[in-house]
Amino acid sequence: MSTFKNVFGAASSSRNLAPWPIPRYAAVQRQTKNGYVQVKYTWVAAGWHYEARWHSRVPTAQIITYPSWQLNRVHPGKGYGKDAAPRMAQTLVGDQWIATSRIRYLIQQAANNPTPAAQSFLRAVHPPAVVTYFPGNNH
């Protein structure tokens, strides 16, 4: 199994592999999961809480078979008063923000017998890292 160090080497290099900019002030968390490595960046901008996640190939994944990214954002809700608003959770797909609940539903549907359209959509949710080969990964 790969560790963060042999996947990225320098501590700050992973943000350079993202398909979108990640602010320098973003907090970074490195995790070794069950069979893969994940790096998570979190930050707040314009009232949204952002989370960008990179992970190496997940051994059990059937559609996303490459190191990939995902970008999510949450706008906290307010449950009372005249300016009450629901919590919003969205995932970036291409250049559009789509409700995260819809993404999760499609992932559940794709687990059984995914159509080519569902596979294409899920790949758009998980764009590949700029560099797709990392030393220490078994391909």
Side-chain angles (χ1 to χ4, degrees):
M1 175 162 54
S2 300
T3 63
F4 179 83
K5 187 173 180 180
N6 71 10
V7 170
F8 288 116
S12 64
S13 63
S14 60
R15 91 174 65 238
N16 298 329
L17 304 174
W20 358 258
I22 296 175
R24 290 263 173 233
Y25 62 86
V28 62
Q29 181 180 16
R30 297 162 186 87
Q31 302 168 316
T32 301
K33 300 284 191 166
N34 190 15
Y36 66 98
V37 175
Q38 176 174 285
V39 180
K40 182 172 29 175
Y41 292 93
T42 56
W43 70 96
V44 177
W48 289 90
H49 297 259
Y50 288 87
E51 178 182 277
R53 287 182 292 136
W54 174 89
H55 58 78
S56 60
R57 187 193 187 296
V58 176
T60 58
Q62 296 177 2
I63 296 173
I64 309 304
T65 58
Y66 49 84
S68 66
W69 285 89
Q70 186 173 0
L71 181 60
N72 298 304
R73 69 181 185 177
V74 173
H75 195 276
K78 183 177 178 187
Y80 58 90
K82 62 182 177 184
D83 54 348
R87 176 183 184 271
M88 291 187 289
Q90 300 175 334
T91 300
L92 188 63
V93 180
D95 61 353
Q96 295 183 337
W97 290 100
I98 297 178
T100 302
S101 59
R102 176 161 167 68
I103 304 298
R104 289 183 180 145
Y105 173 78
L106 291 171
I107 288 170
Q108 283 182 326
Q109 296 299 343
N112 298 325
N113 189 14
T115 65
Q119 290 181 26
S120 178
F121 182 78
L122 292 175
R123 286 188 181 103
V125 171
H126 298 90
V130 175
V131 176
T132 57
Y133 171 75
F134 298 103
N137 282 359
N138 297 321
H139 293 273

